[in-house]
């Protein structure tokens, strides 16, 4: 791990009531302008999804673009789903509360 790199940690836990994970991004140095831009676009998407108002039963795939739209404007994307529900017995990605799909052909993966 170098001071000019972004450190991404994806960790989780197994609890009596379920299995879950959490992803965090940390930088131990001075991020470049590009790294700040990437981080800002993901944060904008997170805030957009958190503020969304939608009816019960709305499929997660319909909400995914709220998280990705700021990245897409910059020609960026991430190559995994946006979110998921709590799992059980080591199945951390248990549905049906999934948000998103993955990559779109032609997008630049961060």
């Amino acid at each position: 791990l170098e001071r000019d790199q972004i450190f991404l940690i994806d960790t989780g836990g197994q609890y009596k009531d379920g299995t879950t994970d959490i992803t965090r991004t940390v930088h131990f140095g001075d991020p470049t302008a590009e790294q700040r831009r990437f981080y800002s676009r993901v944060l904008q998407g997170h805030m957009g999804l958190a503020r969304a108002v939608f009816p019960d039963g709305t499929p997660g795939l319909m909400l995914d673009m709220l998280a990705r739209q700021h990245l897409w404007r910059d020609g960026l994307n991430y190559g995994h789903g946006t979110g998921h529900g709590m799992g059980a017995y080591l199945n951390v990605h248990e549905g049906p509360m999934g948000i998103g799909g993955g990559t779109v052909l032609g997008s630049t993966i961060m």
Side-chain angles (χ1 to χ4, degrees):
L1 183 62
E2 302 294 329
R3 291 186 59 81
D4 63 340
Q5 294 177 317
I6 294 174
F7 180 58
L8 180 81
I9 185 166
D10 188 6
T11 187
Q14 172 68 44
Y15 305 95
K16 181 180 177 184
D17 295 328
T19 302
T20 191
D21 68 343
I22 189 168
T23 305
R24 291 293 178 259
T25 306
V26 183
H27 201 293
F28 297 107
D30 187 23
T32 66
E34 181 180 60
Q35 290 170 335
R36 289 176 193 267
R37 181 172 60 98
F38 291 165
Y39 188 90
S40 295
R41 296 301 173 265
V42 172
L43 178 59
Q44 288 170 328
H46 180 84
M47 293 184 329
L49 187 55
R51 292 179 181 161
V53 177
F54 50 88
D56 287 344
T58 301
L61 193 57
M62 292 179 73
L63 302 173
D64 188 58
M65 61 81 53
L66 296 171
R68 295 179 190 263
Q69 65 180 328
H70 303 283
L71 291 164
W72 290 347
R73 285 187 191 131
D74 275 3
L76 302 169
N77 201 2
Y78 50 88
H80 52 80
T82 297
H84 56 81
M86 294 276 296
Y89 304 104
L90 300 179
N91 183 7
V92 75
H93 296 127
E94 184 172 306
M97 294 70 61
I99 299 175
T103 61
V104 176
L105 292 178
S107 59
T108 302
I109 304 301
M110 299 187 314

XYZ file of all heavy atoms in Angstrom:
841
model
N 0.849 -1.172 0.000
C 0.000 0.000 0.000
C 0.896 1.236 0.000
O 1.719 1.411 0.887
C -0.908 -0.014 1.234
C -1.901 1.111 1.360
C -2.892 1.107 0.209
C -2.649 0.985 2.668
N 0.687 2.072 -0.993
C 1.471 3.304 -1.120
C 0.613 4.501 -0.728
O -0.607 4.474 -0.846
C 1.953 3.465 -2.569
C 2.789 2.300 -3.087
C 4.120 2.160 -2.379
O 4.678 3.196 -1.953
O 4.593 1.022 -2.231
N 1.253 5.579 -0.309
C 0.519 6.766 0.141
C -0.258 7.444 -0.988
O -1.187 8.201 -0.737
C 1.474 7.762 0.798
C 2.012 7.240 2.119
C 2.848 8.285 2.842
N 2.128 9.509 3.135
C 1.293 9.696 4.161
N 1.048 8.694 4.987
N 0.710 10.862 4.368
N 0.086 7.178 -2.241
C -0.629 7.804 -3.351
C -1.766 6.936 -3.885
O -2.420 7.293 -4.851
C 0.345 8.159 -4.480
C 1.010 6.935 -5.095
O 1.036 5.865 -4.452
O 1.513 7.056 -6.222
N -2.033 5.805 -3.253
C -3.067 4.885 -3.702
C -4.335 5.013 -2.861
O -4.287 5.396 -1.690
C -2.577 3.437 -3.588
C -1.444 3.093 -4.515
C -0.974 1.665 -4.287
O -0.834 1.214 -3.154
N -0.729 0.967 -5.379
N -5.449 4.654 -3.472
C -6.715 4.545 -2.754
C -6.790 3.141 -2.168
O -6.485 2.159 -2.839
C -7.902 4.781 -3.706
C -7.886 6.222 -4.214
C -9.214 4.463 -3.017
C -8.923 6.509 -5.270
N -7.196 3.048 -0.915
C -7.351 1.768 -0.243
C -8.843 1.483 -0.122
O -9.587 2.243 0.494
C -6.691 1.808 1.138
C -6.808 0.526 1.910
C -6.332 -0.668 1.405
C -7.394 0.525 3.162
C -6.431 -1.844 2.116
C -7.503 -0.647 3.891
C -7.016 -1.829 3.368
N -9.296 0.405 -0.736
C -10.689 -0.012 -0.696
C -10.785 -1.256 0.174
O -10.097 -2.249 -0.083
C -11.200 -0.324 -2.107
C -12.649 -0.776 -2.177
C -13.570 0.423 -2.140
C -12.889 -1.585 -3.429
N -11.600 -1.192 1.204
C -11.795 -2.346 2.072
C -13.249 -2.782 2.010
O -14.155 -1.961 2.119
C -11.340 -2.063 3.519
C -11.452 -3.329 4.360
C -12.101 -0.913 4.128
C -10.737 -3.267 5.671
N -13.452 -4.056 1.783
C -14.783 -4.654 1.745
C -14.778 -5.739 2.817
O -14.165 -6.782 2.640
C -15.061 -5.236 0.357
C -16.500 -5.690 0.194
O -17.315 -5.465 1.111
O -16.807 -6.277 -0.854
N -15.421 -5.472 3.915
C -15.401 -6.387 5.040
C -16.823 -6.611 5.543
O -17.750 -5.945 5.092
C -14.496 -5.835 6.171
O -14.362 -6.821 7.203
C -15.042 -4.552 6.750
N -16.986 -7.523 6.435
C -18.331 -7.791 6.932
C -18.313 -8.667 8.150
O -17.263 -8.942 8.728
N -19.486 -9.116 8.518
C -19.597 -9.938 9.704
C -20.783 -10.869 9.648
O -21.755 -10.641 8.922
N -20.678 -11.908 10.420
C -21.748 -12.897 10.569
C -22.322 -12.703 11.969
O -21.596 -12.792 12.950
C -21.195 -14.312 10.411
C -22.178 -15.416 10.725
C -23.298 -15.492 9.705
O -23.064 -15.407 8.515
N -24.505 -15.653 10.172
N -23.607 -12.389 12.040
C -24.271 -12.137 13.306
C -25.442 -13.095 13.475
O -25.893 -13.708 12.508
C -24.762 -10.683 13.367
C -23.654 -9.698 13.119
C -23.434 -9.183 11.837
C -22.809 -9.300 14.144
C -22.401 -8.289 11.601
C -21.778 -8.410 13.921
C -21.580 -7.907 12.646
O -20.562 -7.036 12.419
N -25.963 -13.185 14.677
C -27.092 -14.071 14.953
C -28.275 -13.768 14.036
O -28.959 -14.662 13.576
C -27.497 -13.932 16.416
C -28.646 -14.820 16.822
C -28.986 -14.636 18.278
C -30.191 -15.479 18.645
N -30.588 -15.243 20.034
N -28.501 -12.482 13.757
C -29.660 -12.076 12.968
C -29.366 -11.867 11.493
O -30.233 -11.432 10.741
C -30.256 -10.794 13.538
C -30.823 -11.001 14.931
O -31.313 -12.113 15.203
O -30.752 -10.065 15.745
N -28.151 -12.114 11.043
C -27.877 -11.946 9.619
C -26.416 -11.744 9.294
O -25.571 -11.603 10.167
N -26.136 -11.743 8.004
C -24.797 -11.540 7.472
C -24.813 -10.260 6.656
O -25.738 -10.009 5.902
C -24.410 -12.724 6.556
O -24.491 -13.925 7.312
C -23.008 -12.568 6.004
N -23.795 -9.451 6.815
C -23.743 -8.211 6.056
C -22.301 -7.843 5.741
O -21.370 -8.420 6.291
C -24.448 -7.062 6.814
O -24.590 -5.944 5.941
C -23.680 -6.667 8.056
N -22.141 -6.906 4.845
C -20.804 -6.403 4.543
C -20.858 -4.891 4.403
O -21.929 -4.297 4.328
C -20.207 -7.053 3.294
C -20.920 -6.662 2.011
O -22.056 -6.158 2.060
O -20.337 -6.870 0.948
N -19.697 -4.295 4.389
C -19.574 -2.851 4.269
C -18.319 -2.562 3.449
O -17.320 -3.268 3.572
C -19.511 -2.187 5.662
C -19.597 -0.674 5.558
C -18.285 -2.627 6.428
C -19.821 0.003 6.899
N -18.393 -1.571 2.593
C -17.254 -1.177 1.775
C -16.888 0.260 2.116
O -17.763 1.119 2.164
C -17.586 -1.288 0.274
O -18.046 -2.612 0.011
C -16.373 -0.991 -0.584
N -15.612 0.506 2.342
C -15.129 1.845 2.647
C -13.897 2.153 1.808
O -13.113 1.259 1.478
C -14.781 1.993 4.130
C -15.992 1.955 5.035
C -16.875 3.180 4.798
N -18.072 3.171 5.595
C -19.268 2.834 5.156
N -19.432 2.420 3.920
N -20.325 2.889 5.934
N -13.728 3.422 1.496
C -12.593 3.895 0.709
C -11.798 4.884 1.562
O -12.371 5.810 2.131
C -13.084 4.598 -0.572
O -13.945 3.708 -1.278
C -11.917 4.979 -1.454
N -10.486 4.672 1.622
C -9.618 5.518 2.433
C -8.395 5.898 1.607
O -7.924 5.121 0.769
C -9.153 4.759 3.702
C -8.320 5.643 4.604
C -10.330 4.194 4.468
N -7.887 7.085 1.849
C -6.646 7.526 1.221
C -5.744 8.050 2.330
O -6.169 8.869 3.143
C -6.918 8.621 0.187
C -5.839 8.777 -0.820
N -4.584 9.227 -0.500
C -5.812 8.532 -2.144
C -3.841 9.260 -1.581
N -4.571 8.829 -2.596
N -4.501 7.593 2.394
C -3.596 7.968 3.470
C -2.621 9.074 3.071
O -1.778 9.474 3.855
C -2.821 6.744 3.954
C -3.718 5.688 4.531
C -3.969 4.518 3.836
C -4.329 5.861 5.761
C -4.805 3.548 4.356
C -5.162 4.904 6.297
C -5.402 3.742 5.594
N -2.760 9.574 1.869
C -1.895 10.636 1.396
C -2.721 11.799 0.885
O -3.789 12.110 1.412
N -2.244 12.429 -0.175
C -2.946 13.540 -0.812
C -3.520 13.034 -2.138
O -2.768 12.825 -3.089
C -1.963 14.696 -1.049
C -2.662 15.940 -1.559
O -3.877 16.084 -1.323
O -1.983 16.762 -2.204
N -4.838 12.842 -2.212
C -5.433 12.312 -3.448
C -5.203 13.237 -4.637
O -5.177 14.456 -4.489
C -6.926 12.227 -3.127
C -7.031 12.336 -1.651
C -5.834 13.096 -1.183
N -5.062 12.630 -5.791
C -4.934 13.407 -7.021
C -6.290 14.014 -7.376
O -7.332 13.622 -6.832
C -4.482 12.513 -8.195
O -5.524 11.563 -8.470
C -3.179 11.788 -7.887
N -6.290 14.943 -8.308
C -7.548 15.545 -8.760
C -8.475 14.479 -9.336
O -9.694 14.508 -9.114
C -7.265 16.632 -9.788
N -7.927 13.524 -10.072
C -8.746 12.450 -10.648
C -9.352 11.578 -9.544
O -10.530 11.226 -9.605
C -7.898 11.598 -11.600
C -8.695 10.491 -12.250
C -7.858 9.655 -13.195
O -6.858 9.053 -12.745
O -8.222 9.599 -14.374
N -8.559 11.229 -8.535
C -9.074 10.419 -7.432
C -10.185 11.158 -6.685
O -11.187 10.558 -6.313
C -7.940 10.048 -6.475
C -6.970 9.057 -7.061
C -5.725 8.884 -6.215
O -5.332 9.762 -5.452
N -5.086 7.727 -6.356
N -10.021 12.457 -6.491
C -11.063 13.261 -5.841
C -12.337 13.289 -6.694
O -13.450 13.232 -6.172
C -10.575 14.687 -5.607
C -9.525 14.809 -4.539
C -9.015 16.256 -4.446
N -7.815 16.351 -3.662
C -7.783 16.605 -2.364
N -8.909 16.774 -1.709
N -6.640 16.667 -1.729
N -12.172 13.379 -7.984
C -13.322 13.387 -8.895
C -14.073 12.062 -8.816
O -15.301 12.041 -8.710
C -12.864 13.657 -10.331
C -13.999 13.712 -11.345
C -13.514 14.170 -12.714
N -12.517 13.305 -13.288
C -12.758 12.335 -14.193
N -13.984 12.140 -14.624
N -11.788 11.604 -14.666
N -13.341 10.944 -8.859
C -13.985 9.628 -8.745
C -14.769 9.529 -7.436
O -15.922 9.113 -7.413
C -12.950 8.506 -8.779
C -12.262 8.317 -10.107
C -11.103 7.568 -10.177
C -12.748 8.872 -11.277
C -10.451 7.368 -11.386
C -12.106 8.682 -12.492
C -10.955 7.925 -12.537
N -14.107 9.887 -6.342
C -14.738 9.799 -5.023
C -15.980 10.697 -4.960
O -17.030 10.292 -4.452
C -13.738 10.200 -3.943
C -14.242 9.967 -2.539
C -14.028 8.755 -1.898
C -14.945 10.955 -1.857
C -14.485 8.535 -0.611
C -15.415 10.742 -0.571
C -15.179 9.529 0.041
O -15.645 9.314 1.315
N -15.873 11.907 -5.493
C -16.989 12.855 -5.478
C -18.178 12.334 -6.273
O -19.333 12.477 -5.847
C -16.555 14.209 -6.034
O -15.585 14.794 -5.200
N -17.919 11.715 -7.435
C -19.014 11.194 -8.249
C -19.736 10.052 -7.528
O -20.967 9.963 -7.575
C -18.510 10.713 -9.618
C -17.942 11.805 -10.497
C -18.948 12.918 -10.791
N -18.311 14.008 -11.495
C -17.819 15.103 -10.896
N -17.934 15.258 -9.590
N -17.235 16.049 -11.589
N -18.986 9.190 -6.865
C -19.616 8.100 -6.107
C -20.415 8.676 -4.944
O -21.546 8.240 -4.682
C -18.552 7.094 -5.614
C -19.162 6.078 -4.656
C -17.903 6.386 -6.799
N -19.871 9.662 -4.251
C -20.588 10.299 -3.146
C -21.866 10.974 -3.633
O -22.921 10.864 -2.988
C -19.686 11.320 -2.449
C -20.315 12.099 -1.296
C -20.810 11.171 -0.202
C -19.311 13.113 -0.744
N -21.816 11.665 -4.766
C -23.015 12.286 -5.318
C -24.091 11.240 -5.602
O -25.283 11.466 -5.345
C -22.683 13.044 -6.604
C -21.898 14.307 -6.368
C -21.378 14.901 -7.672
O -21.065 14.196 -8.626
N -21.282 16.222 -7.700
N -23.684 10.104 -6.138
C -24.636 9.028 -6.406
C -25.227 8.462 -5.131
O -26.435 8.181 -5.050
N -24.393 8.301 -4.113
C -24.865 7.791 -2.826
C -25.923 8.727 -2.235
O -26.974 8.289 -1.769
C -23.682 7.649 -1.867
C -24.055 7.127 -0.522
N -24.184 5.792 -0.254
C -24.349 7.776 0.622
C -24.537 5.631 1.011
N -24.637 6.825 1.560
N -25.647 10.019 -2.284
C -26.592 11.003 -1.750
C -27.881 11.033 -2.575
O -28.983 11.141 -2.011
C -25.948 12.387 -1.698
C -24.822 12.439 -0.683
S -24.020 14.048 -0.413
C -24.116 14.878 -1.944
N -27.769 10.917 -3.889
C -28.951 10.908 -4.741
C -29.854 9.728 -4.452
O -31.084 9.866 -4.390
N -29.264 8.573 -4.254
C -30.044 7.378 -3.944
C -30.643 7.474 -2.541
O -31.795 7.113 -2.321
C -29.170 6.130 -4.072
C -29.853 4.786 -3.944
C -31.002 4.651 -4.933
C -28.842 3.669 -4.149
N -29.885 8.009 -1.596
C -30.377 8.138 -0.220
C -31.552 9.100 -0.124
O -32.444 8.928 0.710
C -29.246 8.598 0.697
N -31.592 10.111 -0.974
C -32.671 11.117 -0.948
C -33.873 10.745 -1.803
O -34.884 11.447 -1.785
C -32.126 12.453 -1.444
C -31.122 13.081 -0.524
C -30.636 14.375 -1.115
N -29.634 14.988 -0.249
C -28.786 15.899 -0.659
N -28.790 16.314 -1.913
N -27.913 16.406 0.173
N -33.777 9.682 -2.539
C -34.837 9.313 -3.483
C -36.142 8.966 -2.754
O -36.132 8.356 -1.694
C -34.395 8.129 -4.335
N -37.234 9.375 -3.361
C -38.567 9.016 -2.888
C -39.196 8.179 -3.995
O -39.234 8.603 -5.148
C -39.421 10.276 -2.615
C -40.833 9.887 -2.201
C -38.757 11.149 -1.568
N -39.665 6.993 -3.645
C -40.215 6.080 -4.641
C -41.256 5.190 -3.978
O -41.220 4.966 -2.772
C -39.105 5.241 -5.289
C -38.195 4.580 -4.285
C -38.487 3.327 -3.763
C -37.042 5.224 -3.861
C -37.649 2.728 -2.841
C -36.197 4.640 -2.931
C -36.507 3.384 -2.417
N -42.203 4.678 -4.748
C -43.258 3.838 -4.169
C -42.750 2.459 -3.769
O -41.777 1.948 -4.337
C -44.291 3.737 -5.295
C -43.583 4.108 -6.543
C -42.409 4.956 -6.164
N -43.399 1.876 -2.768
C -43.099 0.499 -2.379
C -43.192 -0.409 -3.594
O -44.057 -0.215 -4.455
C -44.099 0.002 -1.328
C -43.872 0.622 0.033
O -42.788 1.194 0.262
O -44.790 0.541 0.871
N -42.304 -1.361 -3.667
C -42.323 -2.312 -4.771
C -41.509 -1.891 -5.974
O -41.427 -2.629 -6.951
N -40.904 -0.695 -5.935
C -40.073 -0.253 -7.054
C -38.858 -1.166 -7.165
O -38.137 -1.349 -6.186
C -39.611 1.206 -6.848
O -40.759 2.041 -6.728
C -38.744 1.678 -7.993
N -38.617 -1.756 -8.329
C -37.461 -2.649 -8.477
C -36.142 -1.888 -8.315
O -35.998 -0.744 -8.755
C -37.587 -3.172 -9.915
C -38.995 -2.902 -10.322
C -39.436 -1.703 -9.540
N -35.182 -2.541 -7.681
C -33.878 -1.942 -7.475
C -33.206 -1.503 -8.758
O -32.496 -0.498 -8.791
N -33.422 -2.238 -9.824
C -32.814 -1.888 -11.105
C -33.264 -0.502 -11.573
O -32.503 0.217 -12.209
C -33.147 -2.948 -12.159
C -32.352 -2.893 -13.448
C -30.855 -2.998 -13.177
C -32.792 -4.000 -14.384
N -34.477 -0.109 -11.214
C -34.970 1.214 -11.595
C -34.310 2.320 -10.764
O -34.295 3.477 -11.177
C -36.491 1.277 -11.448
C -37.230 0.404 -12.450
S -39.016 0.479 -12.250
C -39.343 2.120 -12.891
N -33.783 1.993 -9.607
C -33.136 2.977 -8.735
C -31.644 3.093 -9.002
O -31.018 4.088 -8.627
C -33.355 2.588 -7.269
C -34.806 2.460 -6.830
C -34.887 1.909 -5.421
C -35.518 3.790 -6.946
N -31.086 2.103 -9.634
C -29.636 2.037 -9.852
C -29.091 3.271 -10.567
O -28.022 3.771 -10.236
C -29.291 0.769 -10.641
C -27.808 0.545 -10.743
O -27.146 0.447 -9.693
O -27.303 0.474 -11.875
N -29.834 3.789 -11.507
C -29.334 4.944 -12.268
C -29.173 6.177 -11.385
O -28.365 7.050 -11.688
C -30.218 5.253 -13.476
C -31.657 5.619 -13.166
S -32.003 7.328 -12.662
C -31.268 8.263 -13.940
N -29.901 6.250 -10.272
C -29.724 7.371 -9.354
C -28.321 7.370 -8.758
O -27.737 8.420 -8.506
C -30.767 7.319 -8.234
C -32.214 7.473 -8.661
C -33.149 7.183 -7.494
C -32.459 8.858 -9.229
N -27.786 6.189 -8.543
C -26.432 6.073 -7.999
C -25.364 6.250 -9.076
O -24.276 6.746 -8.791
C -26.260 4.711 -7.324
N -25.656 5.874 -10.304
C -24.640 5.888 -11.362
C -24.639 7.138 -12.246
O -23.670 7.400 -12.947
C -24.828 4.662 -12.267
C -24.592 3.351 -11.545
C -24.827 2.173 -12.483
N -24.845 0.933 -11.762
C -23.808 0.109 -11.645
N -22.673 0.403 -12.222
N -23.918 -0.996 -10.953
N -25.703 7.936 -12.205
C -25.853 9.025 -13.175
C -24.687 10.014 -13.171
O -24.271 10.494 -14.228
C -27.168 9.760 -12.958
C -27.272 10.500 -11.645
C -28.600 11.200 -11.496
O -29.199 11.646 -12.459
N -29.081 11.273 -10.252
N -24.136 10.325 -12.029
C -23.030 11.291 -11.968
C -21.753 10.712 -12.563
O -20.973 11.429 -13.198
C -22.809 11.741 -10.522
C -24.041 12.340 -9.916
N -24.462 13.611 -10.208
C -24.964 11.821 -9.066
C -25.586 13.861 -9.547
N -25.913 12.787 -8.863
N -21.555 9.420 -12.382
C -20.418 8.737 -13.018
C -20.603 8.701 -14.524
O -19.677 8.983 -15.286
C -20.286 7.310 -12.481
C -19.854 7.178 -11.029
C -20.139 5.779 -10.527
C -18.388 7.514 -10.886
N -21.802 8.355 -14.963
C -22.080 8.256 -16.400
C -21.827 9.576 -17.107
O -21.348 9.596 -18.232
C -23.510 7.802 -16.631
C -23.789 6.368 -16.257
C -22.866 5.390 -15.979
C -25.063 5.750 -16.126
N -23.497 4.215 -15.677
C -24.846 4.405 -15.764
C -26.364 6.201 -16.267
C -25.883 3.512 -15.559
C -27.398 5.310 -16.061
C -27.158 3.979 -15.712
N -22.153 10.688 -16.458
C -21.908 12.006 -17.072
C -20.426 12.233 -17.350
O -20.070 13.006 -18.244
C -22.426 13.117 -16.161
C -23.914 13.238 -16.173
C -24.379 14.457 -15.387
N -25.820 14.393 -15.217
C -26.442 14.555 -14.065
N -25.776 14.819 -12.967
N -27.752 14.474 -14.007
N -19.573 11.577 -16.563
C -18.122 11.676 -16.757
C -17.569 10.504 -17.567
O -16.362 10.339 -17.659
C -17.405 11.719 -15.410
C -17.322 13.112 -14.823
O -17.869 14.056 -15.433
O -16.706 13.271 -13.757
N -18.459 9.656 -18.119
C -18.019 8.499 -18.885
C -17.435 7.402 -18.020
O -16.641 6.589 -18.480
N -17.839 7.351 -16.746
C -17.314 6.369 -15.791
C -18.410 5.409 -15.357
O -19.590 5.662 -15.584
C -16.758 7.091 -14.558
C -15.656 8.111 -14.809
C -15.396 8.927 -13.551
C -14.390 7.417 -15.282
N -18.003 4.340 -14.686
C -18.935 3.362 -14.155
C -18.191 2.508 -13.141
O -16.970 2.580 -13.034
C -19.499 2.492 -15.284
C -20.811 1.818 -14.914
O -21.348 2.014 -13.822
N -21.338 1.042 -15.830
N -18.910 1.710 -12.409
C -18.281 0.689 -11.573
C -18.855 -0.660 -11.968
O -20.008 -0.760 -12.369
C -18.421 0.964 -10.072
C -19.818 1.286 -9.585
C -20.696 0.288 -9.200
C -20.239 2.605 -9.496
C -21.963 0.589 -8.737
C -21.502 2.922 -9.036
C -22.356 1.907 -8.650
O -23.616 2.212 -8.189
N -18.041 -1.687 -11.869
C -18.397 -2.979 -12.429
C -19.038 -3.946 -11.465
O -18.681 -5.128 -11.446
N -19.975 -3.470 -10.663
C -20.657 -4.352 -9.715
C -22.004 -3.742 -9.363
O -22.308 -2.615 -9.764
C -19.814 -4.543 -8.446
C -19.384 -3.256 -7.821
N -20.205 -2.495 -7.016
C -18.224 -2.571 -7.926
C -19.564 -1.414 -6.635
N -18.364 -1.434 -7.181
N -22.802 -4.467 -8.621
C -24.100 -3.961 -8.206
C -23.957 -2.785 -7.247
O -22.899 -2.553 -6.670
N -25.042 -2.067 -7.052
C -25.024 -0.885 -6.194
C -25.299 -1.220 -4.729
O -24.729 -0.621 -3.842
C -26.050 0.141 -6.710
O -25.650 0.538 -8.022
C -26.129 1.359 -5.827
N -26.158 -2.154 -4.459
C -26.472 -2.496 -3.078
C -27.275 -3.773 -2.985
O -27.705 -4.325 -3.988
N -27.452 -4.232 -1.767
C -28.179 -5.480 -1.539
C -28.715 -5.501 -0.126
O -28.368 -4.668 0.705
C -27.278 -6.695 -1.788
C -26.020 -6.673 -0.970
N -25.975 -7.065 0.342
C -24.767 -6.278 -1.293
C -24.744 -6.933 0.793
N -23.989 -6.446 -0.181
N -29.555 -6.467 0.147
C -30.147 -6.612 1.476
C -29.249 -7.386 2.413
O -28.130 -7.781 2.070
N -29.743 -7.602 3.623
C -29.040 -8.413 4.619
C -29.194 -9.882 4.246
O -30.254 -10.299 3.800
C -29.646 -8.195 6.006
C -29.451 -6.802 6.544
S -27.867 -6.579 7.349
C -28.004 -7.688 8.728
N -28.159 -10.640 4.450
C -28.200 -12.064 4.155
C -28.297 -12.895 5.413
O -28.425 -12.386 6.520
N -28.210 -14.189 5.228
C -28.238 -15.123 6.345
C -27.295 -16.276 6.058
O -27.162 -16.707 4.911
C -29.660 -15.642 6.553
N -26.626 -16.754 7.073
C -25.754 -17.922 6.978
C -24.724 -17.788 5.852
O -24.635 -18.617 4.964
C -26.579 -19.204 6.827
C -27.562 -19.363 7.951
C -28.904 -19.109 7.763
C -27.115 -19.714 9.221
C -29.808 -19.229 8.810
C -28.006 -19.827 10.274
C -29.341 -19.582 10.062
O -30.225 -19.688 11.093
N -23.963 -16.727 5.902
C -22.854 -16.429 4.995
C -23.280 -16.069 3.580
O -22.464 -15.928 2.701
C -21.841 -17.579 4.965
C -21.204 -17.906 6.314
C -20.243 -19.081 6.161
C -20.490 -16.707 6.903
N -24.585 -15.890 3.329
C -25.059 -15.456 2.022
C -25.306 -13.955 2.104
O -26.423 -13.496 2.292
C -26.343 -16.191 1.626
C -26.811 -15.806 0.246
O -26.137 -15.090 -0.482
N -27.988 -16.267 -0.118
N -24.251 -13.181 1.952
C -24.330 -11.738 2.176
C -25.143 -11.019 1.107
O -25.680 -9.955 1.349
C -22.909 -11.143 2.308
C -22.231 -11.055 0.968
C -22.941 -9.807 2.987
N -25.289 -11.570 -0.070
C -25.996 -10.908 -1.163
C -27.405 -11.451 -1.364
O -27.909 -11.524 -2.463
C -25.190 -11.020 -2.464
C -23.885 -10.316 -2.396
N -22.700 -10.926 -2.708
C -23.559 -9.061 -2.021
C -21.708 -10.068 -2.548
N -22.211 -8.930 -2.120
N -28.044 -11.794 -0.288
C -29.381 -12.351 -0.362
C -30.396 -11.293 -0.792
O -30.361 -10.165 -0.316
C -29.763 -12.900 1.013
C -31.096 -13.598 1.043
C -31.331 -14.287 2.373
O -30.465 -15.078 2.775
O -32.361 -14.015 2.999
N -31.268 -11.655 -1.688
C -32.316 -10.754 -2.137
C -33.544 -10.882 -1.271
O -33.523 -11.599 -0.285
N -34.583 -10.202 -1.702
C -34.755 -9.578 -3.011
C -34.387 -8.101 -3.046
O -34.728 -7.402 -3.989
C -36.253 -9.750 -3.258
C -36.854 -9.598 -1.895
C -35.847 -10.234 -0.958
N -33.705 -7.566 -2.052
C -33.465 -6.128 -1.976
C -32.194 -5.705 -2.696
O -31.396 -4.960 -2.177
C -33.381 -5.669 -0.509
C -34.677 -5.795 0.259
S -35.206 -7.470 0.635
C -33.904 -8.106 1.616
N -31.986 -6.181 -3.897
C -30.809 -5.801 -4.655
C -31.040 -4.522 -5.436
O -32.147 -4.233 -5.866
N -29.988 -3.736 -5.571
C -30.052 -2.515 -6.380
C -28.978 -2.619 -7.434
O -27.798 -2.697 -7.119
C -29.825 -1.249 -5.536
C -30.907 -1.127 -4.457
C -29.803 -0.006 -6.413
C -30.685 0.026 -3.515
N -29.371 -2.613 -8.679
C -28.402 -2.525 -9.750
C -28.023 -3.845 -10.360
O -28.406 -4.903 -9.903
N -27.237 -3.708 -11.418
C -26.840 -4.869 -12.177
C -25.341 -4.978 -12.303
O -24.716 -5.864 -11.785
N -24.724 -4.049 -12.971
C -23.302 -4.135 -13.216
C -22.877 -3.166 -14.286
O -23.339 -2.038 -14.338
N -22.047 -3.633 -15.178
C -21.479 -2.745 -16.167
C -22.372 -2.579 -17.396
O -23.256 -3.381 -17.647
C -20.112 -3.268 -16.651
O -20.295 -4.546 -17.247
C -19.139 -3.368 -15.503
N -22.123 -1.523 -18.106
C -22.784 -1.249 -19.375
C -21.691 -1.257 -20.424
O -20.628 -0.669 -20.211
C -23.500 0.121 -19.349
C -24.111 0.450 -20.693
C -24.536 0.167 -18.253
N -21.903 -1.926 -21.529
C -20.870 -1.974 -22.568
C -20.435 -0.571 -22.979
O -21.256 0.327 -23.126
C -21.404 -2.717 -23.796
C -21.645 -4.213 -23.605
C -22.209 -4.819 -24.880
C -20.362 -4.929 -23.214
N -19.140 -0.399 -23.114
C -18.603 0.878 -23.544
C -18.275 1.828 -22.407
O -17.744 2.902 -22.633
N -18.575 1.452 -21.178
C -18.285 2.362 -20.072
C -16.863 2.139 -19.554
O -16.304 1.062 -19.685
C -19.296 2.152 -18.926
O -19.252 0.828 -18.465
N -16.268 3.181 -19.010
C -14.941 3.115 -18.431
C -15.066 2.748 -16.974
O -15.670 3.478 -16.194
C -14.212 4.472 -18.557
O -14.155 4.820 -19.947
C -12.822 4.413 -17.970
N -14.517 1.606 -16.592
C -14.618 1.123 -15.212
C -13.546 1.805 -14.375
O -12.377 1.824 -14.751
C -14.444 -0.401 -15.152
C -15.466 -1.088 -16.065
C -14.572 -0.901 -13.712
C -16.916 -0.801 -15.742
N -13.929 2.358 -13.246
C -12.981 3.023 -12.350
C -12.172 1.991 -11.602
O -12.621 0.967 -11.241
C -13.702 3.874 -11.305
C -14.513 4.958 -11.877
S -15.184 6.059 -10.616
C -15.813 4.975 -9.395
